[in-house]
Amino acid sequence: MNALTKSGAFELSVEGMTCASCVGRVERALKKVPGVQEAVVNLATEKASLKVDDPASAAAVLLLAVAAIEKAGYAVPAQSVDLQVDGMSCASCVGRVERALAKVPGVQSTVVNLATERASVRLQGDTDMGMLIAAIEKAGYAARPVEQGAVATGEDAMARRQAAERAALKRSLIFAAAFALPVFLLEMGGHMLPAFHHWIAATIGTQNSWYLQFALTMVVLFGPGRRFFAKGVPALLRGAPDMNSLVAVGTSAAFAYSVVATFAPQLLPEGTVNVYYEAAAVIVALILLGRFLEARAKGNTSEAIRRLVQLQAKTARVRRGGLVQELDIAQVRAGDVIEVRPGERIAVDGEVVEGRSFVDESMISGEPVPVEKIQGAELVGGTVNQNGALVFKATKVGADTLLAQIIRMVEQAQSSKLPIQALVDKITMWFVPAVMAAALFTFGVWLIWGPSPALSFALVNAVAVLIIACPCAMGLATPTSIMVGTGRAAQMGVLLRKGEALQQLKDARVVAVDKTGTLTKGRPELTDLLLAQGLERAAVLAQVAAVEDRSEHPIARAIVAAARAEGLAIPAVQSFESVTGFGVRAMVDGEGRKHKVEIGADRFMRELGLSVEGFAGEAARLGDEGKTPLYAAVDGRLAAMIAVADPIKPTTRAAVDALHGLGLKVAMITGDNRHTAQAIARQLGIDEVVAEVLPGGKVDAVKRLKAEHGTLAYVGDGINDAPALAEADVGMAIGTGTDIAIEAADVVLMSGDLGGVPKAIALSKATMQNIRQNLFWAFAYNVALIPVAAGLLYPVNGTLLSPVFAAGAMALSSVFVLSNALRLKRFNP
């Protein structure tokens, strides 16, 4: 690991070196980098050790060094780490943590999420984790690494921490409210009810009332309100003020002024001796209320992840050493044989070795119908066994299971930053300093030009400006919607591997789809068996299957599978013969005698002297559907016409109609022959067909469609789809497809059919609409109310905003943003 020393030395991993000349080439490239004092490359360890002239410029030099290595034809591997960051309260904090991490040598990119309280850091080179944590701590926050393998443990810890935070905020809120309420009643009660004011003056006296308010407010500020000073004052001293700084300065100003008015009134100009204890105390109580509601809503936004984690089984019954032991899930190893009773969760991914049952896989696919599992079937950890007992062999455990991968995908998508966030980041970077400047300007204007008592007006309005500004709403506007949106998508069987897809999908104008495995089931099945008059289906199918059982051709396998699925006994066969260019024939055992069965295309039947005209009408129909008919003759008589095809998935037509309903064009790009592709397109109502193309041709087709129609989403499932998935604006892989296709995609459709595409697009539109609403509220709130708090309306109609109402408005603005984002949980396409 490269902990950067004071002398400015660090290391880089280098991939692709094979010999001494490679070492020399890399060293020469590094020595040419400005700022590099010394470079030593080791072939055995595949490391480059660098020494820089100025340690302060190490981050910039490291980026130049990486570029030089890559230009020389070698690679510096990138890695990603996640850090839990505590202490962030607003959008300014997010920007501060990102800037601190960006200065660490080796950091390529950083995304900090206020809603999840996590930093995702992409590193190039062997950057020490301690350097990242130190950079965050130097910025005034606490950080610790998130373990990738311990998904459930990490999420449980986060849930416990959030629960503890909510409990602490609730205690602080109750405490603050209990002490702030008497202060509010003593001061504001007199303003609202003159009789109450006279009663206070006549009983305890105004001065004693102020002493009491002073004591109660001190308890509030230095008790529950201490958190604002503990975080806000250091941030202010570092020249990087945040939300806590605004509250600390605002309440301090109100409290300090009131203390002078109480204990040294002679220091204030005549007519300005007033106290504002209620502003300081009630502001703390109201902001704690906002924080508590915010924390509670934040817990709800991460509910999708918690639900996924809860799907993981805690224990498993494992057969070991001739005994069945109940083990903790962490002790299960690949290759273990595990027993599952009816109603239990499948512990890990595996393959059935004994038993038969139905398994509820709705948590993976979003489909409510249980799936039958027999010997050889694959099981997914977290799914629920229904009515039968199963025994299976574990194939993937721990972080390798599909459920763990899904949780990681959802977490990564929730932590991502959309392009729309870039503008927000630029504004929030300067927001808090700008608010403090506005408060100072307000104070100065009122002090110079304000009516008497000018100092009181100046103080109250400046405090109102500090308190009403809400960078929290701006910081939460985008990430909370992303969290809830991606979580809802996962519940619908749509996994967003990259959060950016959430924004790009709403702009899609055309959806291009692969045919095999995407529109169709991806495997041939017997679709049609038409019999000559007087013959029975079971007998003919059994005879045909008996002959085809000798062949390994996919069509033959489909016919045999259909016979077995219908529970037919397949008779014995003798004298099997393959007639080149025509078909196959054999003698098949029957009741008391053997039958000669011949199977092939129409030209084989004509060769045998048999007419197929009796099936001409049906043959034409099959041709229109893109199917090629086969014929079977039994004992010299035409017995049946057979069609085997890759059938269209039952959900495909509805999905294509839904895409048309969203105003999208649908194109099919396939390597299959044009006749079959056109036939399927007619059945499904597909707008455009590109057929008979190789993988490179699919990429060209994607480029052309993008140029003609605009933003394109491509849906595929095979290795040959990977280039097109990467070329598309949004690549969407069918979850039942290959790992390579899934790796190249931005979105994974776990349901295994096209139905997830319109769901994903509709959810994208709803989420982006939600984000726009949040951003409009956050910006409109601040733009409209900061001038009002500054007293802009006072010359017009005498309106001034009390700091107490400013605190209430600020607290509610964050709650509004979170509540609006939570509406996405109810989204139903």
Side-chain angles (χ1 to χ4, degrees):
M1 301 296 277
N2 94 309
L4 183 69
T5 64
K6 289 181 181 177
S7 60
F10 56 84
E11 288 182 338
L12 284 170
S13 292
V14 182
E15 289 182 346
M17 296 188 298
T18 56
C19 61
S21 60
C22 298
V23 171
R25 202 167 293 122
V26 174
E27 282 186 350
R28 285 193 298 275
L30 288 171
K31 285 174 182 176
K32 290 177 184 175
V33 174
V36 172
Q37 190 183 90
E38 186 183 321
V40 178
V41 178
N42 188 312
L43 179 62
T45 60
E46 294 186 317
K47 302 253 186 192
S49 300
L50 281 81
K51 201 170 185 181
V52 298
D53 296 326
D54 179 14
S57 63
V61 173
L62 186 57
L63 290 175
L64 292 172
V66 169
I69 292 169
E70 290 176 344
K71 190 177 179 182
Y74 305 92
V76 177
Q79 57 171 319
S80 294
V81 297
D82 288 336
L83 294 165
Q84 187 70 42
V85 183
D86 296 332
M88 296 189 298
S89 59
C90 64
S92 302
C93 302
V94 170
R96 201 158 295 123
V97 173
E98 286 183 344
R99 290 194 295 278
L101 287 170
K103 291 176 184 174
V104 176
V107 170
Q108 197 178 44
S109 64
T110 304
V111 175
V112 178
N113 189 305
L114 178 62
T116 59
E117 298 177 332
R118 283 193 180 180
S120 297
V121 187
R122 189 164 176 79
L123 305 167
Q124 207 148 24
D126 299 325
T127 301
D128 183 44
M129 180 75 78
M131 295 172 68
L132 300 175
I133 292 172
I136 293 172
E137 288 175 346
K138 191 178 177 183
Y141 306 92
R144 59 186 177 282
V146 176
E147 294 295 331
Q148 291 296 327
V151 178
T153 307
E155 289 303 325
D156 285 346
M158 186 176 177
R160 285 195 299 272
R161 196 178 64 258
Q162 286 180 339
E165 182 190 353
R166 285 194 298 273
L169 280 168
K170 187 176 181 181
R171 285 194 302 271
S172 296
L173 171 61
I174 293 169
F175 188 90
F179 283 85
L181 184 61
V183 178
F184 180 80
L185 292 174
L186 282 169
E187 186 60 30
M188 299 306 292
H191 292 295
M192 291 184 283
L193 296 170
F196 183 74
H197 173 74
H198 296 312
W199 180 77
I200 292 290
T203 51
I204 63 173
T206 301
Q207 192 65 28
N208 288 331
S209 168
W210 288 4
Y211 292 149
L212 181 58
Q213 289 178 50
F214 163 76
L216 293 170
T217 304
M218 263 204 31
V219 172
V220 173
L221 289 183
F222 298 103
R226 189 175 63 239
R227 70 186 68 215
F228 302 117
F229 294 90
K231 293 177 181 177
V233 173
L236 192 61
L237 295 175
R238 285 193 303 269
D242 62 4
M243 181 71 215
N244 295 302
S245 305
L246 294 180
V247 177
V249 171
T251 54
S252 296
F255 182 69
Y257 186 93
S258 303
V259 168
V260 172
T262 304
F263 297 101
Q266 67 277 7
L267 297 177
L268 296 174
E270 191 177 344
T272 63
V273 181
N274 299 298
V275 294
Y276 300 99
Y277 291 119
E278 88 289 347
V282 175
I283 283 167
V284 168
L286 284 174
I287 291 174
L288 285 171
L289 172 64
R291 292 267 174 102
F292 171 67
L293 295 174
E294 187 180 308
R296 200 163 69 173
K298 263 190 195 174
N300 289 333
T301 61
S302 56
E303 186 180 348
I305 291 280
R306 279 204 304 278
R307 282 187 178 178
L308 286 170
V309 170
Q310 286 165 5
L311 293 173
Q312 294 179 315
K314 299 290 185 284
T315 60
R317 269 189 307 283
V318 181
R319 292 180 180 176
R320 280 188 191 168
L323 300 171
V324 178
Q325 308 171 42
E326 186 142 343
L327 301 177
D328 186 270
I329 198 71
Q331 296 176 275
V332 177
R333 299 190 296 263
D336 277 339
V337 176
I338 300 167
E339 295 182 357
V340 188
R341 295 170 184 160
E344 290 183 339
R345 286 199 183 279
I346 310 296
V348 292
D349 294 358
E351 183 181 312
V352 176
V353 293
E354 290 177 33
R356 183 178 190 141
S357 184
F358 283 86
V359 174
D360 179 2
E361 295 186 339
S362 58
M363 50 75 74
I364 296 293
S365 65
E367 300 298 323
V369 181
V371 180
E372 186 177 17
K373 300 292 179 181
I374 56 174
Q375 188 173 346
E378 289 185 357
L379 295 173
V380 176
T383 55
V384 180
N385 184 29
Q386 298 279 285
N387 51 5
L390 290 172
V391 178
F392 72 95
K393 184 173 76 173
T395 54
K396 290 182 180 177
V397 299
D400 295 327
T401 64
L402 180 61
L403 181 58
Q405 290 172 34
I406 288 172
I407 291 169
R408 277 201 301 278
M409 280 187 203
V410 175
E411 282 183 330
Q412 286 164 5
Q414 289 186 339
S415 298
S416 61
K417 191 168 280 192
L418 302 191
I420 196 172
Q421 184 72 13
L423 175 65
V424 181
D425 289 346
K426 286 178 183 174
I427 293 170
T428 53
M429 189 186 301
W430 301 104
F431 183 78
V432 174
V435 168
M436 299 193 88
L440 275 172
F441 179 73
T442 300
F443 185 85
V445 168
W446 277 93
L447 189 63
I448 297 167
W449 291 291
S452 181
L455 183 60
S456 295
F457 278 116
L459 176 77
V460 169
N461 292 325
V463 170
V465 168
L466 288 170
I467 299 302
I468 203 163
C470 189
C472 301
M474 289 191 285
L476 292 168
T478 304
T480 48
S481 295
I482 293 171
M483 283 185 72
V484 182
T486 50
R488 182 70 187 109
Q491 289 170 353
M492 296 191 301
V494 177
L495 292 181
L496 293 139
R497 293 187 69 244
K498 297 173 185 172
E500 295 88 341
L502 199 60
Q503 181 167 342
Q504 290 170 317
L505 269 175
K506 78 165 178 63
D507 297 321
R509 295 292 174 266
V510 58
V511 175
V513 295
D514 170 50
K515 179 182 77 70
T516 307
T518 303
L519 299 175
T520 64
K521 292 183 178 180
R523 59 183 184 276
E525 291 182 5
L526 178 66
T527 57
D528 301 85
L529 177 59
L530 303 164
L531 302 168
Q533 195 170 359
L535 296 178
E536 289 183 6
R537 176 185 171 88
V540 173
L541 180 56
Q543 290 168 341
V544 170
V547 178
E548 295 289 13
D549 196 28
R550 293 295 185 92
S551 170
E552 288 300 319
H553 193 281
I555 290 177
R557 296 288 91 207
I559 293 170
V560 174
R564 286 186 174 142
E566 294 184 22
L568 302 178
I570 296 177
V573 169
Q574 288 86 36
S575 307
F576 177 84
E577 180 188 356
S578 176
V579 184
T580 306
F582 288 97
V584 291
R585 62 162 63 101
M587 299 302 293
V588 179
D589 288 352
E591 294 178 2
R593 67 187 186 91
K594 296 184 184 299
H595 300 279
K596 185 179 183 181
V597 180
E598 294 162 301
I599 307 164
D602 52 357
R603 61 180 179 276
F604 190 24
M605 296 300 109
R606 285 194 291 271
E607 182 74 15
L608 297 173
L610 301 174
S611 172
V612 295
E613 288 304 312
F615 290 115
E618 290 297 330
R621 176 183 66 80
L622 294 175
D624 288 341
E625 293 175 5
K627 300 172 184 175
T628 303
L630 295 173
Y631 298 88
V634 178
D635 295 330
R637 177 191 170 197
L638 185 64
M641 182 172 70
I642 304 160
V644 171
D646 181 6
I648 295 169
K649 292 177 182 177
T651 56
T652 300
R653 177 71 208 219
V656 172
D657 290 344
L659 289 170
H660 283 146
L662 289 168
L664 300 169
K665 284 198 170 296
V666 182
M668 180 203 301
I669 304 176
T670 179
D672 210 342
N673 72 74
R674 185 168 301 280
H675 177 68
T676 302
Q678 292 284 8
I680 287 175
R682 280 195 299 274
Q683 292 177 63
L684 295 174
I686 287 171
D687 304 302
E688 188 170 340
V689 176
V690 181
E692 300 174 1
V693 291
L694 296 172
K698 288 188 175 186
V699 172
D700 294 336
V702 166
K703 288 178 178 176
R704 179 180 62 78
L705 288 167
K706 281 165 67 174
E708 288 177 8
H709 302 289
T711 305
L712 178 142
Y714 183 87
V715 190
D717 75 320
I719 293 172
N720 62 340
D721 292 312
L725 286 164
E727 176 62 34
D729 296 298
V730 182
M732 308 180 80
I734 298 292
T736 51
T738 63
D739 289 344
I740 291 173
I742 290 171
E743 196 60 37
D746 305 304
V747 180
V748 182
L749 307 171
M750 296 306 296
S751 59
D753 61 49
L754 201 63
V757 179
K759 289 179 185 176
I761 293 172
L763 180 63
S764 168
K765 289 176 184 287
T767 304
M768 294 312 299
Q769 171 83 1
N770 192 274
I771 288 172
R772 281 194 296 271
Q773 290 166 352
N774 282 349
L775 287 174
F776 174 79
W777 168 261
F779 283 105
Y781 163 87
N782 283 297
V783 168
L785 291 188
I786 288 176
V788 172
L792 194 67
L793 296 179
Y794 185 78
V796 180
N797 55 17
T799 298
L800 285 177
L801 195 65
S802 162
V804 171
F805 291 113
M810 190 278 284
L812 288 174
S813 69
S814 293
V815 175
F816 173 87
V817 164
L818 285 158
S819 302
N820 189 49
L822 288 170
R823 290 193 306 115
L824 287 170
K825 287 172 71 175
R826 299 191 297 274
F827 172 79
N828 203 17

